[in-house]
Amino acid sequence: MNTALAYNVYSQFCPARLFFEKIADKWILLILNVLGDEPVHFNLLKKKIEGISPKVLSQKLKILERDGFIKREVQNTSPIRVEYSLTDLGRDVSQTALQLKKWAESNIEMVLKAQDSYDLAQDKTLLEPKEVKNETTTINCSP
């Protein structure tokens, strides 16, 4: 009888917690989203994901390949071309990455408004007069 081990990501040494470190990475999520459509070669990935350096893209692809999320295939062309595609495991997790992408694109305006409101409230708090008490005198620290 084959039973699955019980993991608890709230436990400090749980290996499943490592998954969160990787999946919370913006580049990992973006790579998974791009590969969700079809296999893509390195340069096209770099072109589709604006702002990622070749070094970082290479590092993230190696992480995804090691974890079993993507497959790397060297094509026998001239020049040699390397294509990346999702594995079954990668397709499964890419659905979650796609949901996060959709949520972010649909809700970023509310997040930005919340940030503006918070920042404005913090600025008002900084502008309010404060009293600082010293052992002998009270000093008014109004801007």
Side-chain angles (χ1 to χ4, degrees):
M1 182 177 195
N2 190 4
T3 59
L5 295 175
Y7 292 102
N8 178 357
V9 295
Y10 297 103
S11 176
Q12 181 178 1
F13 301 108
C14 178
R17 186 183 275 199
L18 297 174
F19 171 76
F20 285 101
E21 286 181 28
K22 292 173 187 168
I23 203 67
D25 183 288
K26 70 178 177 185
W27 299 122
I28 295 284
L29 289 171
L30 294 172
I31 292 167
L32 288 171
N33 281 317
V34 171
L35 292 177
D37 297 331
E38 60 186 343
V40 179
H41 62 87
F42 185 90
N43 286 329
L44 187 55
L45 267 171
K46 190 168 62 83
K47 184 177 179 180
K48 286 187 172 193
I49 304 172
E50 294 180 11
I52 192 168
S53 70
K55 178 182 176 182
V56 170
L57 178 57
S58 181
Q59 290 170 341
K60 301 305 177 180
L61 288 168
K62 286 177 185 175
I63 289 168
L64 288 166
E65 184 180 11
R66 181 174 184 258
D67 289 346
F69 295 128
I70 65 170
K71 181 176 78 173
R72 179 181 185 269
E73 186 177 325
V74 179
Q75 297 177 336
N76 194 13
T77 59
S78 181
I80 292 177
R81 187 169 146 164
V82 179
E83 189 173 81
Y84 297 89
S85 59
L86 294 175
T87 62
D88 289 342
L89 187 63
R91 271 189 288 287
D92 189 32
V93 77
S94 76
Q95 293 305 307
T96 301
L98 180 60
Q99 291 303 312
L100 288 170
K101 172 194 172 291
K102 288 178 180 179
W103 186 93
E105 291 172 344
S106 297
N107 293 285
I108 191 61
E109 287 297 322
M110 289 187 291
V111 172
L112 293 172
K113 285 179 185 174
Q115 290 174 346
D116 287 344
S117 295
Y118 178 88
D119 292 345
L120 184 59
Q122 293 301 307
D123 289 345
K124 285 181 181 177
T125 303
L126 293 175
L127 294 175
E128 292 174 1
K130 293 177 179 58
E131 285 189 2
V132 176
K133 294 197 177 191
N134 185 315
E135 286 181 6
T136 56
T137 60
T138 300
I139 304 168
N140 187 1
C141 296
S142 299

